Amino acid sequence: MNYRHHIDYELYDDWQDLEDRDVAMIKEAYSICEQAYAPYSKFKVGAIVLLEDGSIVRGNNQENMAYPSGLCAERVALFFAGANFPNLKVEALYIVAKGELLNSSSLLSPCGACRQVMVETEMRQKSDYKVFLVSENKKVIVFSSAKDLLPMAFGT
Ligand code: THU
């Protein structure tokens, strides 16, 4: 038997056309992106976790001289949310980036380890959340679930 995996997502040409709340979150993501500690890769990533009560958790990538000891922006934000607000569901995750690794039209696509953590957040809270991936040329892709970014994730 052959099977096919189908993933739906929305693509917008300009994130500024999204609804006000999403525009505000993406602006927050760019602001925290500036504060990333990325002296080695010079690639800055910002992540905003929007919680169900409307509060937000900001994260950015934190690198280290001993390279593997650093952590991606998405996990910084999701782990902080899990540590401090374990009973508040995540409603959305917004991810932006700046740096030479990303040319102006390419989209930041989270690494595999972050995807696994993103999926487990949905498993833990028993509900899906939206994931917004923003490119430097303003395009944005919106997924309705983190699971769409990691089909057949470990544990699913
Ligand atoms: N990085 C993130 O923060 N998120 C991703 O989704 C991919 C990569 C960081 C890790 C490292 O600090 C830098 O970007 C270059 O890989």
Side-chain angles (χ1 to χ4, degrees), residues 30 69 122:
Y30 274 115
S69 304
E122 289 188 343

Side-chain angles (χ1 to χ4, degrees), residues 116 118-127 147 154-156:
Q116 184 69 38
M118 287 157 60
V119 168
E120 186 147 340
T121 301
E122 289 188 343
M123 289 161 66
R124 185 175 172 181
Q125 66 183 28
K126 297 185 179 60
S127 63
K147 285 186 277 293
F154 180 70
T156 55

Side-chain angles (χ1 to χ4, degrees), residues 37-38 41 43-46 60-63 71-74 95 101 108-111 114:
Y37 178 62
S41 71
F43 184 65
K44 294 185 168 191
V45 185
N60 51 30
N61 50 328
Q62 295 293 316
E63 298 185 348
L71 199 62
C72 295
E74 297 90 323
I95 309 166
L101 277 176
L108 173 76
S109 199
C111 79
C114 286

Side-chain angles (χ1 to χ4, degrees), residues 6-110:
H6 177 98
I7 294 172
D8 289 310
Y9 56 85
E10 297 161 44
L11 172 66
Y12 299 90
D13 282 336
D14 189 337
W15 58 262
Q16 275 156 328
D17 295 336
L18 295 172
E19 54 183 79
D20 292 352
R21 183 189 77 170
D22 298 325
V23 170
M25 294 299 117
I26 291 169
K27 286 182 180 165
E28 286 283 351
Y30 274 115
S31 153
I32 197 69
C33 179
E34 294 297 336
Q35 282 173 227
Y37 178 62
Y40 306 105
S41 71
K42 305 211 175 354
F43 184 65
K44 294 185 168 191
V45 185
I48 296 291
V49 171
L50 174 66
L51 298 171
E52 61 181 337
D53 69 347
S55 58
I56 66 174
V57 171
R58 302 170 178 85
N60 51 30
N61 50 328
Q62 295 293 316
E63 298 185 348
N64 190 272
M65 220 177 266
Y67 292 159
S69 304
L71 199 62
C72 295
E74 297 90 323
R75 276 177 288 163
V76 168
L78 285 170
F79 287 157
F80 187 95
N84 290 279
F85 309 106
N87 300 317
L88 288 179
K89 290 185 179 181
V90 173
E91 228 171 77
L93 173 65
Y94 302 82
I95 309 166
V96 307
K98 277 186 171 178
E100 283 168 20
L101 277 176
L102 196 71
N103 69 45
S104 65
S105 60
S106 66
L107 206 74
L108 173 76
S109 199

Side-chain angles (χ1 to χ4, degrees), residues 5 36 116 141-142:
H5 199 97
Q116 184 69 38
I141 290 188
V142 187

